[in-house]
Amino acid sequence: MPIIKGKYGEWVVKTKLQKLGDAYTVFHDVYIPNGERGLTQVDHIVTSVHGVFVIETKHYSGWIFGDEYKPYWTQVIYKKKTKMHNPIRQNYGHVQALLTYTGQAEMKDVHSIIAFSPSSTFKFNKDFTSAHVIQFPELLATIKRYKEQRISLAAVKRINEKLKVLLVEDKSERKHLKAEHMQSVRKAKGSKQTTHVQADLISKVTKEVAPTICPRCEGQLTMKAGRYGKFYGCSNYPDCRYTDNLNAKRQNV
């Protein structure tokens, strides 16, 4: 039942996001390379010149109690209390994985959204500062409140291109990827072991994605040889000192 409810919640959010319009690009159920666990799964990512939105769906009912900085929140249905991992902290990890993977580590216009079912009732004592905690009907309005252009079209295009590499079209491969990801999460939260399907996707990413444009100043990135091996450096050096050590990234994932 939790899996079915979760999938239904993701479907509801997916349907709503389809109404955003052509100014936005939407990605669903994305597996992003994460140096700590191989891959991390993100429910929805929306990109635009107004910002990037990372969305975690929670199809929960009942009263929801939680604090921004505590590791667990509580769901209460009548007299039954159930603990859940703090979704703000959970989605923070998703945001960091996205920024690292896309080479946008210093980009500030990335917004974390935790979208709960409207059958839930929030019982929070304080407002949240690092994420929007809302219900499904508020989702589009929350995204569209950001109206100014904050990211260049070129940067959005680069982000989209990298995310497209992660899309798995083959149904059988996607089924195995989901199953193995869930199995690895259940086995050991601290384990760095990756499954063969996850490794295939990570290998695909590192082979197909190579940086060409500096994310800081949009200068040209070129391959250079340094004291510790090859790396990508910005053509606007020394005004821009951005570097991208691709070999180190491959070792981390």
Side-chain angles (χ1 to χ4, degrees), residues 171-195:
K171 291 184 179 180
S172 178
E173 183 181 353
R174 191 165 189 84
K175 183 178 179 181
H176 284 296
L177 180 64
K178 289 182 178 181
E180 292 191 352
H181 176 260
M182 291 304 299
Q183 185 179 8
S184 65
V185 170
R186 293 190 196 101
K187 276 188 175 181
K189 294 179 181 179
S191 174
K192 295 183 179 180
Q193 182 180 2
T194 55
T195 64

Side-chain angles (χ1 to χ4, degrees), residues 78-169:
Y78 297 107
K79 294 183 179 181
K80 182 180 179 181
K81 295 183 179 180
T82 305
K83 281 188 176 183
M84 71 177 85
H85 288 285
N86 182 340
I88 293 179
R89 296 177 61 165
Q90 182 182 9
N91 212 36
Y92 175 80
H94 297 163
V95 170
Q96 295 307 307
L98 172 66
L99 291 175
T100 300
Y101 167 68
T102 57
Q104 304 290 327
E106 295 187 359
M107 189 168 69
K108 298 180 180 179
D109 297 288
V110 181
H111 308 284
S112 174
I113 299 177
I114 316 299
F116 276 85
S117 164
S119 59
S120 63
T121 302
F122 295 152
K123 295 292 183 177
F124 305 130
N125 294 324
K126 299 178 182 179
D127 293 333
F128 302 116
T129 59
S130 60
H132 298 282
V133 182
I134 61 171
Q135 294 180 329
F136 296 164
E138 305 169 84
L139 182 58
L140 297 188
T142 300
I143 293 174
K144 289 192 173 183
R145 75 166 61 172
Y146 297 91
K147 299 179 181 179
E148 298 181 4
Q149 179 170 344
R150 306 290 296 181
I151 307 173
S152 70
L153 283 170
V156 174
K157 182 179 179 181
R158 290 195 299 273
I159 293 171
N160 289 344
E161 287 175 349
K162 287 196 171 185
L163 289 176
K164 287 177 182 177
V165 174
L166 301 179
L167 299 180
V168 179
E169 302 296 339

Side-chain angles (χ1 to χ4, degrees), residues 103-104 106 158 213-219 240-243:
Q104 304 290 327
E106 295 187 359
R158 290 195 299 273
I213 303 296
C214 176
R216 291 185 185 174
C217 68
E218 299 189 4
C240 178
R241 295 177 178 270
Y242 177 83
T243 60

Side-chain angles (χ1 to χ4, degrees), residues 8-23:
Y8 176 74
E10 290 181 21
W11 176 82
V12 171
V13 170
K14 181 177 180 179
T15 303
K16 289 185 176 294
L17 293 176
Q18 291 174 348
K19 301 177 182 179
L20 280 172
D22 296 336

